Amino acid sequence: MQFDSFSAFLAMGGYGFYVWLAVAFSLLSLGSLTVATIVKRRQIIDEIKNKHQRIERMRAAEKMENTL
Amino acid sequence: MWKWLHPYAKPEKSYNLAGKMLPWFALFSAISLTIGMVWGFVFAPADYQQGDSFRIIYLHVPAASLSMGAYLSMAIAAFIGLVWQLKMADMAVAAIAPIGAVFTAIALFTGAVWGKPMWGAWWVWDARLTSELILLFLYLGVIAIYGAFSDKLLAGRAAGILALVGVINLPVIHYSVEWWNTLHQKATISKFDKPSMDTDMLWPLLINLLGFGLLFGTLTLMRFRNELITRESHRPWVKKLFIEDK
Protein backbone atom coordinates (compact mmCIF):
# COMPACT_ATOMS: atom_id res chain seq x y z
CA MET A 1 0.00 0.00 0.00
CA GLN A 2 1.40 3.37 -1.07
CA PHE A 3 -0.76 5.54 1.15
CA ASP A 4 -0.67 5.83 4.97
CA SER A 5 -4.28 6.91 5.35
CA PHE A 6 -7.47 7.28 3.40
CA SER A 7 -7.10 11.05 3.33
CA ALA A 8 -3.61 10.62 1.87
CA PHE A 9 -5.14 8.40 -0.78
CA LEU A 10 -7.69 11.11 -1.59
CA ALA A 11 -5.01 13.79 -1.69
CA MET A 12 -2.93 11.81 -4.21
CA GLY A 13 0.23 13.64 -3.14
CA GLY A 14 -1.36 17.00 -3.95
CA TYR A 15 -2.66 15.92 -7.35
CA GLY A 16 -6.03 14.79 -6.00
CA PHE A 17 -8.07 17.26 -8.05
CA TYR A 18 -6.55 16.16 -11.35
CA VAL A 19 -6.49 12.42 -10.63
CA TRP A 20 -10.07 12.26 -9.38
CA LEU A 21 -11.33 14.47 -12.18
CA ALA A 22 -9.87 11.97 -14.64
CA VAL A 23 -11.43 9.06 -12.72
CA ALA A 24 -14.83 10.78 -12.51
CA PHE A 25 -14.93 11.58 -16.21
CA SER A 26 -13.95 8.03 -17.19
CA LEU A 27 -16.49 6.40 -14.87
CA LEU A 28 -19.26 8.78 -15.91
CA SER A 29 -18.77 8.42 -19.65
CA LEU A 30 -18.31 4.63 -19.63
CA GLY A 31 -21.20 4.28 -17.19
CA SER A 32 -23.60 6.35 -19.26
CA LEU A 33 -22.62 4.50 -22.45
CA THR A 34 -23.39 1.19 -20.73
CA VAL A 35 -26.70 2.43 -19.30
CA ALA A 36 -27.70 3.93 -22.65
CA THR A 37 -26.99 0.60 -24.37
CA ILE A 38 -29.10 -1.34 -21.85
CA VAL A 39 -31.98 1.18 -22.00
CA LYS A 40 -31.85 1.06 -25.80
CA ARG A 41 -32.26 -2.71 -25.73
CA ARG A 42 -35.38 -2.36 -23.52
CA GLN A 43 -36.80 0.22 -25.92
CA ILE A 44 -36.21 -1.97 -28.98
CA ILE A 45 -37.89 -4.96 -27.34
CA ASP A 46 -40.88 -2.85 -26.20
CA GLU A 47 -41.24 -1.49 -29.70
CA ILE A 48 -41.21 -4.98 -31.22
CA LYS A 49 -43.89 -6.07 -28.73
CA ASN A 50 -46.05 -2.98 -29.35
CA LYS A 51 -45.86 -3.43 -33.10
CA HIS A 52 -46.85 -7.06 -32.77
CA GLN A 53 -49.84 -6.17 -30.55
CA ARG A 54 -50.98 -3.50 -32.99
CA ILE A 55 -50.98 -6.03 -35.82
CA GLU A 56 -52.87 -8.53 -33.65
CA ARG A 57 -55.50 -5.91 -32.81
CA MET A 58 -55.92 -5.00 -36.46
CA ARG A 59 -56.38 -8.65 -37.37
CA ALA A 60 -58.97 -9.10 -34.62
CA ALA A 61 -60.82 -6.00 -35.77
CA GLU A 62 -61.01 -7.32 -39.30
CA LYS A 63 -62.75 -10.46 -38.08
CA MET A 64 -65.30 -8.53 -36.04
CA GLU A 65 -68.71 -7.95 -37.58
CA ASN A 66 -69.70 -4.45 -38.33
CA THR A 67 -72.13 -3.54 -35.57
CA LEU A 68 -72.94 -0.06 -36.71
CA MET B 1 -12.74 -22.64 -42.32
CA TRP B 2 -15.27 -20.86 -44.52
CA LYS B 3 -17.69 -23.75 -44.17
CA TRP B 4 -17.35 -23.52 -40.41
CA LEU B 5 -17.78 -19.75 -40.45
CA HIS B 6 -20.68 -19.71 -42.85
CA PRO B 7 -23.54 -20.44 -40.42
CA TYR B 8 -22.49 -17.43 -38.31
CA ALA B 9 -23.31 -15.18 -41.23
CA LYS B 10 -26.94 -15.83 -40.30
CA PRO B 11 -28.22 -13.03 -38.05
CA GLU B 12 -29.93 -15.41 -35.66
CA LYS B 13 -26.76 -17.44 -35.11
CA SER B 14 -24.68 -14.30 -34.59
CA TYR B 15 -27.20 -12.96 -32.10
CA ASN B 16 -27.07 -16.15 -30.06
CA LEU B 17 -23.29 -16.46 -30.26
CA ALA B 18 -22.87 -12.83 -29.15
CA GLY B 19 -25.27 -13.52 -26.29
CA LYS B 20 -23.26 -16.52 -25.17
CA MET B 21 -19.97 -14.61 -25.23
CA LEU B 22 -21.38 -11.50 -23.56
CA PRO B 23 -21.44 -12.61 -19.86
CA TRP B 24 -17.86 -13.93 -20.08
CA PHE B 25 -16.53 -10.72 -21.59
CA ALA B 26 -18.40 -8.70 -18.94
CA LEU B 27 -17.18 -10.90 -16.09
CA PHE B 28 -13.50 -10.96 -17.07
CA SER B 29 -13.51 -7.27 -17.90
CA ALA B 30 -14.92 -6.47 -14.43
CA ILE B 31 -12.35 -8.73 -12.75
CA SER B 32 -9.34 -7.38 -14.61
CA LEU B 33 -10.42 -3.74 -14.27
CA THR B 34 -10.95 -4.17 -10.52
CA ILE B 35 -7.54 -5.79 -10.05
CA GLY B 36 -5.81 -3.37 -12.40
CA MET B 37 -7.35 -0.19 -10.98
CA VAL B 38 -6.85 -1.11 -7.30
CA TRP B 39 -3.27 -2.17 -8.04
CA GLY B 40 -2.59 0.95 -10.09
CA PHE B 41 -4.23 3.51 -7.83
CA VAL B 42 -3.41 2.06 -4.41
CA PHE B 43 -0.42 -0.27 -4.57
CA ALA B 44 1.77 0.89 -7.43
CA PRO B 45 4.65 3.12 -6.29
CA ALA B 46 4.49 6.84 -7.05
CA ASP B 47 6.60 8.16 -9.93
CA TYR B 48 9.89 9.80 -8.90
CA GLN B 49 9.18 12.84 -11.11
CA GLN B 50 5.43 13.02 -11.46
CA GLY B 51 4.44 11.82 -7.99
CA ASP B 52 0.92 10.43 -7.75
CA SER B 53 -0.33 12.31 -10.81
CA PHE B 54 1.21 9.56 -12.97
CA ARG B 55 -1.62 7.26 -11.84
CA ILE B 56 -3.79 8.87 -14.52
CA ILE B 57 -1.79 6.64 -16.89
CA TYR B 58 -3.98 3.70 -15.82
CA LEU B 59 -6.97 5.38 -17.46
CA HIS B 60 -5.23 7.39 -20.16
CA VAL B 61 -3.10 4.75 -21.88
CA PRO B 62 -5.73 1.97 -22.04
CA ALA B 63 -8.39 4.41 -23.29
CA ALA B 64 -6.02 5.85 -25.88
CA SER B 65 -4.79 2.51 -27.22
CA LEU B 66 -8.33 1.13 -27.31
CA SER B 67 -9.52 4.26 -29.12
CA MET B 68 -7.12 3.28 -31.92
CA GLY B 69 -7.77 -0.45 -31.63
CA ALA B 70 -11.51 0.17 -31.83
CA TYR B 71 -10.99 2.31 -34.92
CA LEU B 72 -8.96 -0.43 -36.58
CA SER B 73 -11.60 -3.08 -35.85
CA MET B 74 -14.32 -0.70 -37.07
CA ALA B 75 -12.38 -0.11 -40.28
CA ILE B 76 -11.90 -3.86 -40.83
CA ALA B 77 -15.66 -4.34 -40.37
CA ALA B 78 -16.30 -1.46 -42.78
CA PHE B 79 -13.98 -3.08 -45.35
CA ILE B 80 -15.79 -6.42 -45.04
CA GLY B 81 -19.12 -4.62 -45.33
CA LEU B 82 -18.08 -2.75 -48.46
CA VAL B 83 -16.33 -5.62 -50.25
CA TRP B 84 -18.54 -8.59 -49.38
CA GLN B 85 -21.68 -6.52 -48.72
CA LEU B 86 -22.25 -8.29 -45.45
CA LYS B 87 -25.02 -6.44 -43.61
CA MET B 88 -23.77 -7.56 -40.24
CA ALA B 89 -20.37 -5.96 -40.84
CA ASP B 90 -22.14 -2.62 -41.27
CA MET B 91 -23.96 -3.27 -38.01
CA ALA B 92 -20.61 -3.89 -36.33
CA VAL B 93 -19.39 -0.51 -37.62
CA ALA B 94 -22.47 1.19 -36.18
CA ALA B 95 -22.01 -0.70 -32.90
CA ILE B 96 -18.33 0.18 -32.49
CA ALA B 97 -18.35 3.88 -33.45
CA PRO B 98 -19.95 5.28 -30.25
CA ILE B 99 -17.71 3.11 -28.05
CA GLY B 100 -14.63 4.33 -29.89
CA ALA B 101 -15.84 7.91 -29.53
CA VAL B 102 -16.20 7.50 -25.76
CA PHE B 103 -12.71 5.94 -25.45
CA THR B 104 -11.26 8.80 -27.49
CA ALA B 105 -13.04 11.37 -25.34
CA ILE B 106 -11.64 9.68 -22.21
CA ALA B 107 -8.14 9.67 -23.68
CA LEU B 108 -8.39 13.38 -24.51
CA PHE B 109 -9.93 14.38 -21.17
CA THR B 110 -7.58 12.37 -18.96
CA GLY B 111 -4.72 13.65 -21.10
CA ALA B 112 -5.80 17.23 -20.44
CA VAL B 113 -6.06 16.82 -16.67
CA TRP B 114 -2.69 15.07 -16.69
CA GLY B 115 -1.16 17.75 -18.90
CA LYS B 116 -2.25 20.63 -16.68
CA PRO B 117 -0.16 19.72 -13.60
CA MET B 118 2.75 18.22 -15.61
CA TRP B 119 3.11 20.53 -18.63
CA GLY B 120 1.26 23.54 -17.24
CA ALA B 121 -1.30 23.43 -20.05
CA TRP B 122 -4.62 21.68 -20.50
CA TRP B 123 -4.12 21.54 -24.24
CA VAL B 124 -1.37 22.14 -26.77
CA TRP B 125 -1.87 22.00 -30.52
CA ASP B 126 0.83 19.44 -31.12
CA ALA B 127 0.64 16.45 -33.44
CA ARG B 128 -0.33 13.78 -30.91
CA LEU B 129 -3.18 15.71 -29.32
CA THR B 130 -4.47 17.13 -32.59
CA SER B 131 -4.47 13.79 -34.41
CA GLU B 132 -6.32 12.18 -31.47
CA LEU B 133 -8.87 15.02 -31.65
CA ILE B 134 -9.28 14.27 -35.37
CA LEU B 135 -9.93 10.65 -34.40
CA LEU B 136 -12.82 11.85 -32.23
CA PHE B 137 -14.23 13.84 -35.17
CA LEU B 138 -13.89 10.77 -37.42
CA TYR B 139 -15.91 8.71 -34.95
CA LEU B 140 -18.54 11.44 -34.68
CA GLY B 141 -18.63 11.64 -38.48
CA VAL B 142 -19.23 7.90 -38.81
CA ILE B 143 -22.02 8.08 -36.19
CA ALA B 144 -23.63 11.11 -37.88
CA ILE B 145 -23.48 9.63 -41.40
CA TYR B 146 -24.87 6.29 -40.24
CA GLY B 147 -27.73 8.09 -38.53
CA ALA B 148 -28.41 10.43 -41.45
CA PHE B 149 -29.81 7.81 -43.83
CA SER B 150 -33.04 5.98 -43.14
CA ASP B 151 -31.96 3.40 -45.75
CA LYS B 152 -29.49 1.47 -43.62
CA LEU B 153 -27.81 -0.24 -46.60
CA LEU B 154 -26.87 3.18 -47.92
CA ALA B 155 -26.01 4.40 -44.42
CA GLY B 156 -23.63 1.46 -43.90
CA ARG B 157 -21.90 2.09 -47.20
CA ALA B 158 -21.45 5.83 -46.65
CA ALA B 159 -20.26 5.42 -43.04
CA GLY B 160 -17.96 2.58 -44.13
CA ILE B 161 -16.21 4.74 -46.73
CA LEU B 162 -15.53 7.46 -44.15
CA ALA B 163 -14.28 4.83 -41.67
CA LEU B 164 -11.85 3.47 -44.29
CA VAL B 165 -10.56 6.88 -45.36
CA GLY B 166 -9.96 7.73 -41.71
CA VAL B 167 -7.55 4.81 -41.25
CA ILE B 168 -4.80 7.13 -42.54
CA ASN B 169 -5.04 8.91 -39.17
CA LEU B 170 -3.97 5.82 -37.19
CA PRO B 171 -0.26 5.73 -38.16
CA VAL B 172 -0.20 9.51 -37.80
CA ILE B 173 -1.37 9.22 -34.18
CA HIS B 174 0.97 6.34 -33.45
CA TYR B 175 4.14 7.91 -34.88
CA SER B 176 3.28 11.53 -34.07
CA VAL B 177 5.53 11.50 -30.99
CA GLU B 178 8.49 10.42 -33.12
CA TRP B 179 7.89 12.44 -36.28
CA TRP B 180 7.31 15.78 -34.60
CA ASN B 181 8.58 17.59 -31.55
CA THR B 182 6.04 17.41 -28.80
CA LEU B 183 5.45 17.73 -25.10
CA HIS B 184 3.88 14.28 -25.13
CA GLN B 185 6.10 11.53 -23.87
CA LYS B 186 7.16 8.64 -26.09
CA ALA B 187 5.53 5.23 -25.98
CA THR B 188 5.82 3.51 -22.61
CA ILE B 189 5.29 0.02 -23.95
CA SER B 190 6.78 -0.91 -27.28
CA LYS B 191 6.98 -4.20 -29.09
CA PHE B 192 10.66 -3.93 -29.81
CA ASP B 193 12.21 -2.29 -26.77
CA LYS B 194 12.11 -3.10 -23.15
CA PRO B 195 9.27 -1.15 -21.53
CA SER B 196 10.47 2.14 -20.08
CA MET B 197 8.61 1.51 -16.85
CA ASP B 198 9.18 -0.41 -13.67
CA THR B 199 7.41 -3.76 -13.49
CA ASP B 200 5.49 -2.68 -10.35
CA MET B 201 3.92 0.03 -12.48
CA LEU B 202 3.82 -1.95 -15.72
CA TRP B 203 1.79 -4.93 -14.53
CA PRO B 204 -1.29 -2.97 -13.45
CA LEU B 205 -1.09 -1.06 -16.74
CA LEU B 206 -1.11 -4.29 -18.75
CA ILE B 207 -4.01 -5.66 -16.69
CA ASN B 208 -5.97 -2.45 -17.24
CA LEU B 209 -5.24 -2.65 -20.96
CA LEU B 210 -6.71 -6.14 -20.96
CA GLY B 211 -9.68 -4.94 -18.91
CA PHE B 212 -10.40 -2.05 -21.29
CA GLY B 213 -10.08 -4.44 -24.23
CA LEU B 214 -12.60 -6.81 -22.67
CA LEU B 215 -14.88 -3.89 -21.82
CA PHE B 216 -14.70 -2.83 -25.45
CA GLY B 217 -15.66 -6.40 -26.40
CA THR B 218 -18.56 -6.40 -23.92
CA LEU B 219 -20.00 -3.11 -25.15
CA THR B 220 -19.50 -4.10 -28.79
CA LEU B 221 -21.41 -7.35 -28.26
CA MET B 222 -24.24 -5.51 -26.48
CA ARG B 223 -24.56 -2.83 -29.14
CA PHE B 224 -24.17 -5.33 -31.98
CA ARG B 225 -27.10 -7.32 -30.58
CA ASN B 226 -29.12 -4.10 -30.36
CA GLU B 227 -28.35 -3.31 -34.00
CA LEU B 228 -29.28 -6.84 -35.06
CA ILE B 229 -32.73 -6.90 -33.44
CA THR B 230 -33.49 -3.36 -34.65
CA ARG B 231 -32.63 -4.10 -38.27
CA GLU B 232 -34.26 -7.54 -38.20
CA SER B 233 -37.27 -6.59 -36.07
CA HIS B 234 -39.73 -7.75 -38.75
CA ARG B 235 -38.14 -11.20 -39.07
CA PRO B 236 -39.77 -14.25 -37.45
CA TRP B 237 -36.69 -15.17 -35.43
CA VAL B 238 -36.74 -11.83 -33.61
CA LYS B 239 -40.48 -12.05 -32.94
CA LYS B 240 -40.04 -15.55 -31.59
CA LEU B 241 -37.49 -14.22 -29.10
CA PHE B 242 -39.65 -11.56 -27.50
CA ILE B 243 -43.26 -12.50 -28.11
CA GLU B 244 -44.61 -15.45 -26.18
CA ASP B 245 -47.35 -17.44 -27.86
CA LYS B 246 -50.80 -17.19 -26.37
Side-chain angles (χ1 to χ4, degrees):
Chain A
M1 187 108 37
Q2 285 300 311
F3 301 96
D4 304 327
S5 63
F6 187 67
S7 56
F9 172 64
L10 288 183
M12 279 283 156
Y15 296 112
F17 171 72
Y18 301 106
V19 172
W20 297 118
L21 197 60
V23 171
F25 182 85
S26 308
L27 279 179
L28 231 86
S29 47
L30 285 173
S32 28
L33 180 66
T34 311
V35 169
T37 305
I38 294 167
V39 169
K40 177 84 188 180
R41 179 178 162 79
R42 287 271 99 218
Q43 283 173 349
I44 296 164
I45 294 172
D46 283 347
E47 205 164 303
I48 291 170
K49 282 181 175 165
N50 285 341
K51 211 169 167 185
H52 176 78
Q53 277 167 1
R54 201 155 59 233
I55 291 167
E56 292 281 284
R57 273 202 303 277
M58 273 158 65
R59 277 205 192 122
E62 271 169 19
K63 278 183 206 150
M64 250 197 295
E65 285 191 36
N66 196 343
T67 50
L68 285 176
Chain B
M1 189 178 98
W2 295 113
K3 265 193 183 147
W4 177 82
L5 269 177
H6 186 69
Y8 290 102
K10 260 187 171 169
E12 188 180 0
K13 285 268 165 57
S14 308
Y15 181 84
N16 290 334
L17 181 69
K20 263 183 215 147
M21 284 153 64
L22 185 52
W24 297 104
F25 270 80
L27 179 71
F28 287 115
S29 138
I31 292 174
S32 42
L33 281 177
T34 311
I35 296 173
M37 288 302 169
V38 171
W39 192 346
F41 278 83
V42 183
F43 293 98
D47 187 74
Y48 80 105
Q49 267 185 332
Q50 306 197 357
D52 286 313
S53 77
F54 103 98
R55 292 178 202 280
I56 294 175
I57 201 174
Y58 296 116
L59 296 163
H60 179 72
V61 167
S65 25
L66 258 296
S67 74
M68 298 202 300
Y71 198 92
L72 190 64
S73 45
M74 182 178 81
I76 291 170
F79 183 78
I80 293 171
L82 284 171
V83 174
W84 289 287
Q85 316 219 324
L86 201 64
K87 258 194 310 177
M88 278 189 292
D90 290 345
M91 295 182 204
V93 172
I96 292 172
I99 310 168
V102 167
F103 280 159
T104 312
I106 292 176
L108 287 169
F109 188 91
T110 56
V113 295
W114 196 4
K116 183 62 189 167
M118 289 302 113
W119 304 341
W122 297 102
W123 184 265
V124 285
W125 287 103
D126 80 347
R128 173 54 76 84
L129 280 67
T130 309
S131 54
E132 183 76 7
L133 185 66
I134 290 170
L135 186 73
L136 180 65
F137 293 153
L138 283 169
Y139 275 124
L140 296 181
V142 169
I143 297 168
I145 288 182
Y146 192 81
F149 295 89
S150 51
D151 175 359
K152 286 304 169 194
L153 276 180
L154 200 60
R157 213 181 308 156
I161 290 169
L162 175 62
L164 279 182
V165 171
V167 170
I168 187 67
N169 195 31
L170 289 183
V172 175
I173 299 174
H174 186 78
Y175 291 108
S176 55
V177 285
E178 313 205 341
W179 291 346
W180 293 285
N181 281 325
T182 169
L183 282 174
H184 197 284
Q185 65 196 59
K186 299 248 188 308
T188 309
I189 316 163
S190 142
K191 254 181 285 180
F192 305 111
D193 298 324
K194 254 175 48 179
S196 57
M197 201 181 189
D198 191 70
T199 42
D200 286 343
M201 296 172 170
L202 183 66
W203 270 112
L205 182 60
L206 293 177
I207 295 170
N208 279 325
L209 263 170
L210 176 75
F212 263 71
L214 290 167
L215 179 65
F216 168 66
T218 311
L219 288 166
T220 303
L221 289 172
M222 286 166 74
R223 300 190 68 88
F224 178 65
R225 271 159 62 96
N226 279 358
E227 286 292 325
L228 260 176
I229 54 174
T230 315
R231 291 270 293 272
E232 301 262 310
S233 60
H234 53 285
R235 293 281 161 83
W237 73 267
V238 177
K239 286 186 181 154
K240 220 167 66 193
L241 276 176
F242 303 116
I243 295 152
E244 55 280 354
D245 287 316
K246 281 159 233 156

